[in-house]
């Protein structure tokens, strides 16, 4: 049988893979590809700007087209189809005969028909060639604008931001991602994206693009406003590529798309259409998973099997510019009689919504923005029509009592449950692969292809894999990443026992490759916990994330916050005056934090060493508010002043903070010390809490506030100060040794086998005979403490890092503020041109 496939994108290649698995059928396949390269991964196209090459993105395994029966023609466009003669004419002049023809022509980007849309430096976001042109333009631009606020538009906005451009998103609709999320979810999404430095313009209808004054282009809007920009990328949706079907007389939809039936047949029984060019039941599917389903169905039919396409679930989970966004099923509640549960926390920027059936028993859809941890559970509940718990709202409400949420263990899923929709992989198939020896995510991807496309199901795939491994009595690993086949705990022991002092040394001895954004900060934290060397030392600096790299927290407008340490919350009048003088001199916003410190906002990167110098001269040190480290020890005034106090909470808090300051940990650590059981310091909501009693101090551990609050648990009671410090030493070092990467003490405790009793045995009773070793390791960290700010300002090489431009000492001209309540705040886009205020400019003279 002669098969011609027109189009070699992701869906076209999936068809070839399915047919290649049955090479014995004697097919003669010719593939026509318009582009100069074979199929590549468009789902992860934005990773091209993160350093991935076209080869990295390729979907074609080496040797795939060396098969005798499969021929790929690049730069070959199909120009016509003769349905009577069963031939396809190619742009090269070649005429190909077919028995069956498959149209996998995909889609093209929709460019709004506005005057000026073909100007130089106006692009679409579709092919690698498009991205190469954008990269060249970005190198000579300062601003970039994306037209379109959907999935691909926000991906494109991330690419522009990663190129260092001032980035704007212009959306015609009143909200971002109008198809996937509702108004409330879109409001939270917009807020989070704007915090990342992207300016969003909604309800903007572009009517013309002309020469700009402050940029190459000026986008003129229907409401008489405008936006100047150097670069424009159109990402306003897609349209099916159905032109060859139209001229061939195949049936197409009124709004485009090649009409297909449940067998993916077009109006010609010898011609199939699959992917984004196909119109099934009046719908074009813009996700890759439905296209893969069509490809599998056509492959089975060509192989003589019964198969069809009956629609697809459009649920999706993505991380857009670092923001979790998920949409499940009937997200907008269009089903008659449906009801909704909604949870919104605009302060923490989390929004969740469930849509349930009229009877309340079944989940129909959902939306999650800011936190999509429940996506896997909720999706399986919907797809498998699993009855909801009696109070389904608790599936999305944050837990405040430390109890686990109602959920769905993977054991409750039927074997037929679809885990990976992109590649149609069921739970049963994953379990079979595990039984056959696929006991890592990499091995499972190779065996089943689960998680190998969009990656959204990897978390659930991992759960199924580990559950099946436990059933088989196999050890379950927790590798940090692909570069280190070890858990964080194992890496810690290697570093400690073998006295490895650099990332390169650990990688050479126990890793592979070059490392990544997961393992580099993780190892940097381990090295700091063990040896406590300066994090910006030449060997360590490149491992740090942006906050640690600049020893300050980056804010939404690109400025930084400065938090000087005030142990126990105590500060002298002279200290407060000094902080105020620094704030006035540099025009900073000041606020007392929840940890009882003074936070200074609005510092430009080149000002940080100057600010630190003045604070150091006034007796302050780094507060480590930027690091995965001990942050603050909050205290009440205790027995020194309070008539109810029974213990000197301030004095103890100061001792604790001065002992553990600078200690690097898997996640941030916060303390609280209360002088009596009235608990004014809220110690039982902290990682480590201490409360005074008539007999001494009670020690509480593993509590936290935040998105998932947890009440701390009593570890030991009625302790004297020396024993208290001893137990805290042991607890912290045991946590540092055994926790996973970025694991809070509360989550660590919940996953600790043996629970609180085991922790008490280790810390209090020394069950593992580690107490002396843990205490010694802590003392080494305490003895080697150095203020990171002071180290930075006194080291000329480190100090050179603190500049906005690598080749200039100029400040960031895009930083602007307005006055509010007697202080500054970042200007909104609309305020930047009209309400900016003058801020004192203090620069370092070299």
């Amino acid at each position: 049988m002669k098969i011609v496939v027109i189009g070699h994108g992701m869906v076209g290649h999936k068809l070839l893979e399915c047919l290649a698995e049955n090479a014995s059928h004697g097919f003669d396949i010719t593939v026509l590809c318009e582009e100069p390269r074979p199929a590549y991964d468009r789902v992860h196209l934005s990773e091209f700007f993160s350093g991935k090459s076209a080869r990295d993105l390729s979907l074609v395994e080496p040797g795939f087209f060396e098969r005798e029966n499969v021929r790929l023609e690049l730069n070959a466009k199909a120009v016509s189809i003769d349905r009577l003669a069963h031939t396809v004419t190619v742009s090269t002049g070649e005429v190909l005969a077919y028995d069956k023809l498959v149209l996998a022509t995909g889609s093209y980007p929709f460019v709004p028909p506005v005057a000026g849309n073909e100007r130089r430096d106006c692009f679409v976001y579709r092919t690698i060639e498009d991205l190469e042109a954008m990269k060249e333009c970005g190198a000579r631009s300062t601003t970039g604008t994306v037209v379109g606020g959907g999935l691909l538009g926000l991906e494109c906005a991330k690419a522009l931001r990663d190129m260092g451009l001032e980035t704007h998103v212009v959306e015609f609709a009143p909200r971002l991602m109008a198809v996937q999320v509702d108004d409330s979810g879109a409001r939270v999404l917009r807020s989070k994206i704007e915090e990342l430095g992207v300016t969003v313009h909604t309800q903007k209808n572009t009517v013309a693009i002309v020469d700009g004054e402050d940029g190459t282009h000026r986008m003129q809007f229907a409401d008489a406003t405008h936006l100047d920009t150097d670069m424009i990328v159109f990402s306003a949706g897609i349209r099916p590529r159905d032109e060859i079907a139209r001229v061939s007389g195949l049936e197409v939809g009124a709004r485009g798309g090649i009409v297909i039936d449940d067998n993916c047949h077009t109006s010609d029984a010898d011609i199939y259409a699959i992917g984004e060019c196909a119109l099934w039941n009046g719908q074009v599917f813009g996700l890759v998973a439905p296209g893969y389903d069509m490809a599998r169905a056509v492959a089975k039919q060509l192989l003589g099997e019964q198969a069809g396409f009956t629609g697809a679930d459009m649920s999706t989970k993505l991380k857009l510019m670092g923001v979790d966004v998920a949409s499940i099923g009937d997200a907008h509640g269009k089903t008659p009689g449906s009801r909704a549960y909604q949870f919104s926390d605009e302060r923490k920027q989390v929004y969740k919504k469930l849509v349930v059936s009229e009877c309340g028993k079944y989940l129909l859809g959902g939306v999650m923005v800011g936190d999509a941890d429940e996506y896997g559970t909720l999706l399986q509940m919907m797809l498998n029509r699993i009855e909801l718990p009696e109070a389904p709202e608790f599936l999305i409400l944050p837990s405040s009592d430390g109890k686990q949420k109602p959920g769905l263990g993977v054991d409750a899923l039927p074997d037929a449950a679809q885990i990976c929709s992109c590649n149609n992989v069921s739970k049963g198939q994953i379990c079979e692969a595990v039984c056959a020896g696929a006991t890592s995510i990499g091995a499972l991807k190779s065996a089943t292809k689960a998680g190998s496309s969009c990656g959204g199901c990897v978390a659930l795939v991992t759960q199924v894999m580990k559950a099946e491994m436990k059933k088989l009595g196999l050890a379950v690993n927790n590798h940090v990443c692909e570069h280190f086949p070890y858990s964080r705990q194992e890496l810690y022991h290697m570093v400690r026992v073998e006295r490895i002092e650099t990332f390169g040394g650990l990688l050479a001895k126990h890793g592979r490759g070059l490392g990544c954004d997961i393992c580099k900060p993780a190892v940097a934290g381990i090295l700091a916990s063990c040896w406590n060397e300066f994090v910006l030392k030449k060997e360590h600096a490149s491992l740090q994330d942006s906050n640690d790299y600049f020893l300050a927290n980056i804010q939404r407008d690109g400025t930084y916050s400065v938090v000087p340490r005030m142990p126990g919350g105590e500060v002298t009048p002279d200290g407060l005056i000094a902080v105020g003088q620094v704030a006035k001199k540099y025009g900073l916003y000041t606020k007392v934090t929840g940890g009882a410190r003074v936070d200074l906002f609005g510092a430009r990167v080149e000002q940080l060493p100057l600010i630190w110098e003045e604070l150091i001269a006034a007796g302050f040190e780094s507060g480590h508010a930027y690091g995965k480290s001990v942050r603050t020890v909050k205290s009440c005034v205790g027995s020194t002043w309070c008539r109810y106090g029974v213990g000197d909470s301030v004095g103890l808090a100061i001792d604790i903070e001065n002992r553990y300051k600078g200690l690097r940990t898997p996640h941030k650590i916060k303390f609280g010390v209360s002088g009596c059981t009235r608990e004014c310091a809220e110690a039982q909501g902290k990682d480590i809490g201490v409360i005074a009693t008539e007999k001494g101090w009670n020690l509480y551990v593993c509590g936290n506030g935040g998105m998932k609050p947890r009440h701390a648990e009593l570890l030991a009671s009625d302790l004297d100060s020396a024993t208290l410090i001893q137990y805290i030493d042991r607890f912290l070092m045991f946590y540092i040794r055994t926790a996973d990467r970025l694991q809070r003490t509360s989550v660590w405790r919940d996953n600790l086998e043996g629970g609180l009793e085991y922790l008490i045995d280790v810390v209090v009773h020394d069950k593992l005979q580690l107490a002396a070793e843990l205490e010694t390791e802590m003392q080494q960290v305490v003895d080697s403490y150095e203020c990171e700010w002071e180290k930075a300002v006194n080291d000329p090489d480190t100090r050179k890092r603190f500049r906005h431009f690598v080749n200039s000492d100029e400040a960031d001209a895009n930083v602007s503020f307005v006055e509010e309540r007697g202080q500054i705040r970042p200007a909104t886009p609309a305020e930047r041109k009209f309400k900016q205020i003058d801020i004192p400019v203090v620069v370092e003279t070299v």
Side-chain angles (χ1 to χ4, degrees):
M1 181 187 296
K2 290 184 178 181
I3 300 173
V4 174
V5 181
I6 300 178
H8 189 228
M10 296 182 72
V11 173
H13 191 65
K14 173 59 68 175
L15 172 69
L16 299 180
E17 288 180 332
C18 294
L19 294 175
E21 293 173 359
N22 296 271
S24 60
H25 276 68
F27 295 132
D28 180 6
I29 305 171
T30 301
V31 186
L32 302 178
C33 177
E34 277 189 21
E35 294 189 47
R37 57 177 54 85
Y40 50 89
D41 186 355
R42 295 188 195 273
V43 172
H44 298 100
L45 197 59
S46 61
E47 293 180 12
F48 181 80
F49 293 101
S50 302
K52 282 200 172 182
S53 65
R55 178 175 294 181
D56 295 330
L57 294 170
S58 176
L59 295 174
V60 182
E61 294 180 1
F64 185 89
F65 285 107
E66 294 176 6
R67 295 173 170 85
E68 292 184 1
N69 65 327
V70 183
R71 179 166 63 106
L72 172 66
E73 294 190 14
L74 300 176
N75 296 306
K77 180 180 180 180
V79 294
S80 66
I81 301 170
D82 187 332
R83 292 165 54 195
L84 292 177
H86 275 56
T87 60
V88 175
T89 301
V90 189
S91 55
T92 59
E94 184 180 8
V95 178
L96 301 172
Y98 70 83
D99 296 308
K100 297 293 181 182
L101 175 64
V102 182
L103 303 179
T105 50
S107 61
Y108 65 91
F110 171 68
V111 178
V114 300
N117 63 10
E118 295 182 351
R119 288 167 57 95
R120 183 172 182 263
D121 295 342
C122 289
F123 306 94
V124 294
Y125 191 74
R126 187 64 177 169
T127 68
I128 287 179
E129 285 68 37
D130 294 330
L131 271 60
E132 289 174 338
M134 288 170 57
K135 205 169 186 179
E136 183 278 328
C137 179
R140 51 183 168 81
S141 301
T142 57
T143 59
T145 299
V146 180
V147 178
L151 295 176
L152 196 58
L154 295 182
E155 282 283 343
C156 181
K158 179 184 185 300
L160 298 188
R161 193 196 63 170
D162 288 347
M163 285 194 283
L165 302 182
E166 177 187 322
T167 304
H168 298 259
V169 174
V170 173
E171 170 57 44
F172 179 79
R175 66 176 187 263
L176 297 174
M177 291 185 65
V179 175
Q180 288 82 14
V181 303
D182 58 13
D183 288 336
S184 298
R187 185 166 59 251
V188 173
L189 175 62
R190 176 172 183 162
S191 178
K192 291 185 78 72
I193 285 177
E194 287 184 331
E195 273 196 2
L196 296 170
V198 175
T199 304
V200 177
H201 311 263
T202 51
Q203 292 183 295
K204 292 292 183 182
N205 180 16
T206 307
V207 294
I209 302 171
V210 298
D211 289 337
E213 295 180 7
D214 297 326
T216 305
H217 312 289
R218 170 163 290 183
M219 302 176 67
Q220 296 178 332
F221 303 127
D223 60 4
T225 61
H226 66 264
L227 173 65
D228 284 4
T229 184
D230 295 318
M231 176 180 178
I232 298 174
V233 185
F234 294 102
S235 184
I238 59 171
R239 299 291 184 270
R241 287 203 56 184
D242 57 11
E243 62 271 21
I244 195 168
R246 288 178 182 274
V247 298
S248 303
L250 295 174
E251 184 182 356
V252 297
R255 301 184 62 182
I258 307 168
V259 175
I260 61 171
D261 59 17
D262 289 352
N263 294 314
C264 297
H265 282 129
T266 65
S267 53
D268 185 324
D270 290 327
I271 302 177
Y272 298 92
I274 58 177
E276 293 174 341
C277 68
L279 180 72
W280 176 85
N281 200 27
Q283 184 177 7
V284 171
F285 296 91
L287 297 178
V288 69
Y292 281 0
D293 286 343
M294 295 179 192
R296 281 187 286 265
V298 170
K300 287 183 178 180
Q301 292 175 55
L302 292 173
L303 293 165
E305 301 175 24
Q306 293 293 320
F309 177 77
T310 56
D313 172 55
M314 296 296 282
S315 301
T316 184
K317 177 188 176 186
L318 307 111
K319 188 176 284 290
L320 299 170
M321 301 183 69
V323 180
D324 284 327
V325 180
S327 177
I328 298 174
D330 182 13
H332 295 287
K334 295 180 179 179
T335 304
S338 63
R339 301 174 182 180
Y341 296 89
Q342 293 175 304
F343 167 73
S344 180
D345 186 336
E346 294 194 3
R347 183 175 65 85
K348 296 177 181 175
Q349 297 181 327
V350 173
Y351 171 77
K352 299 181 182 183
K353 169 184 172 183
L354 296 181
V355 179
V356 304
S357 60
E358 187 173 11
C359 64
K361 292 183 177 181
Y362 302 105
L363 182 67
L364 303 178
V367 176
M368 284 164 277
V369 178
D371 174 22
D373 287 349
E374 300 88 359
Y375 175 78
T377 292
L378 298 177
L379 179 63
Q380 293 302 323
M381 282 183 164
M382 184 200 73
L383 293 176
N384 297 287
R385 201 167 169 76
I386 296 172
E387 283 200 19
L388 292 166
E390 186 176 347
E393 63 269 25
F394 287 103
L395 291 168
I396 57 172
L397 288 175
S399 174
S400 60
D401 57 4
K403 294 181 180 178
Q404 189 173 359
K405 287 186 182 184
L408 178 69
V410 292
D411 288 340
L413 294 175
D415 284 345
Q418 187 185 63
I419 305 299
C420 175
S421 58
C422 289
N423 296 296
N424 192 31
V425 183
S426 68
K427 175 192 170 184
Q429 289 172 301
I430 293 173
C431 292
E432 288 175 7
V434 172
C435 291
T439 55
S440 70
I441 289 299
L444 269 180
K445 286 181 178 180
S446 299
T448 67
K449 295 195 180 297
S452 61
S453 295
C454 77
C457 64
V458 169
L460 188 56
V461 171
T462 302
Q463 291 177 38
V464 173
M465 178 190 75
K466 290 185 175 181
E468 188 65 18
M469 288 174 66
K470 286 183 178 179
K471 289 181 183 177
L472 297 172
L474 301 175
V476 178
N477 71 56
N478 191 18
H479 296 171
V480 167
C481 69
E482 65 190 52
H483 303 104
F484 288 99
Y486 305 99
S487 67
R488 182 195 171 279
Q489 180 178 353
E490 290 169 326
L491 289 180
Y492 177 93
H493 286 297
M494 292 171 185
V495 168
R496 174 69 73 177
V497 173
E498 299 175 31
R499 295 201 61 82
I500 297 172
E501 297 181 355
T502 65
F503 177 83
L506 183 65
L507 190 67
K509 199 164 186 179
H510 298 290
R512 55 177 176 263
L514 299 175
C516 64
D517 290 341
I518 294 175
C519 61
K520 286 180 178 179
V523 173
I526 292 171
L527 294 172
S529 298
C530 289
W531 317 127
N532 209 23
E533 290 187 328
F534 183 41
V535 295
L536 295 187
K537 186 178 176 181
K538 183 178 180 181
E539 295 86 348
H540 307 319
S542 63
L543 308 178
Q544 312 301 333
D545 62 23
S546 57
N547 286 348
D548 279 306
Y549 191 86
F550 292 111
L551 306 181
N553 278 343
I554 191 169
Q555 302 299 318
R556 62 182 298 176
D557 63 340
T559 62
Y560 292 81
S561 65
V562 176
V563 185
R565 186 173 297 284
M566 297 178 181
E570 184 179 84
V571 59
T572 66
D574 286 340
L576 282 176
I577 290 170
V579 171
Q581 288 173 335
V582 169
K584 289 188 70 174
K585 180 176 180 179
Y586 294 90
L588 307 177
Y589 170 84
T590 58
K591 185 184 182 299
V592 177
T593 71
R597 305 294 183 270
V598 177
D599 205 339
L600 310 175
F601 290 81
R604 298 193 306 274
V605 66
E606 74 277 3
Q607 295 176 322
L608 290 173
L610 302 173
I611 293 170
W612 296 339
E613 279 184 328
E614 297 197 29
L615 291 172
I616 290 167
F620 292 101
E621 297 176 312
S622 165
H624 287 91
Y626 47 84
K628 299 295 183 286
S629 57
V630 171
R631 296 278 182 90
T632 61
V633 183
K634 186 176 181 179
S635 70
C636 62
V637 295
S639 59
T640 307
W641 292 93
C642 179
R643 67 184 187 273
Y644 299 109
V646 295
D648 180 12
S649 55
V650 177
L652 180 63
I654 292 171
D655 290 342
I656 288 175
E657 189 159 349
N658 282 329
R659 179 170 181 80
Y660 302 115
K661 60 187 179 185
L663 176 67
R664 297 286 171 154
T665 50
H667 211 296
K668 62 186 177 183
I669 296 285
K670 295 182 179 181
F671 286 68
V673 181
S674 289
C676 71
T677 54
R678 289 173 179 262
E679 248 284 60
C680 292
E682 303 167 330
Q684 293 177 81
K686 300 291 189 288
D687 296 279
I688 298 178
V690 180
I691 301 176
T693 69
E694 296 289 346
K695 298 179 181 180
W697 302 99
N698 284 355
L699 175 60
Y700 294 82
V701 296
C702 301
N704 68 261
M707 191 175 293
K708 297 179 179 178
R710 186 182 192 279
H711 200 284
E713 298 171 305
L714 182 64
L715 188 77
S717 58
D718 303 328
L719 304 174
D720 59 55
S721 296
T723 305
L724 174 72
I725 295 299
Q726 193 177 48
Y727 286 179
I728 295 175
D729 281 0
R730 297 175 186 176
F731 171 84
L732 284 173
M733 293 311 296
F734 188 61
Y735 163 62
I736 289 170
R737 279 191 174 198
T738 59
D740 284 334
R741 182 183 69 91
L742 300 179
Q743 190 174 48
R744 292 292 301 267
T745 58
S746 57
V747 181
W748 170 69
R749 154 65 185 87
D750 288 339
N751 288 277
L752 198 63
E753 291 188 10
L756 180 64
E757 291 182 5
Y758 174 71
L759 195 55
I760 291 172
D761 281 342
V762 172
V763 174
V764 179
H765 305 307
D766 196 18
K767 179 179 181 179
L768 302 180
Q769 300 295 300
L770 288 173
E773 186 176 328
L774 297 174
E775 292 167 28
T776 300
E777 290 172 359
M778 179 61 77
Q779 193 60 47
Q780 290 171 350
V781 173
V782 172
D783 292 341
S784 58
Y785 169 78
E786 289 181 292
C787 173
E788 291 176 348
W789 286 354
E790 186 173 5
K791 189 81 172 175
V793 299
N794 290 328
D795 179 35
D797 289 335
T798 300
R799 194 158 181 156
K800 290 177 183 177
R801 302 179 190 278
F802 296 90
R803 55 199 300 185
H804 184 72
F805 300 100
V806 296
N807 59 351
S808 170
D809 290 326
E810 291 184 15
D812 182 3
N814 293 313
V815 172
S816 58
F817 304 102
V818 295
E819 186 172 340
E820 188 174 81
R821 298 186 296 276
Q823 295 206 81
I824 64 165
R825 68 161 171 81
T828 64
E831 293 169 334
R832 285 177 184 166
K833 294 185 178 180
F834 304 109
K835 293 179 62 179
Q836 294 183 34
I837 62 174
D838 292 326
I839 300 298
V841 177
V842 182
V843 297
E844 183 173 6
T845 302
V846 180

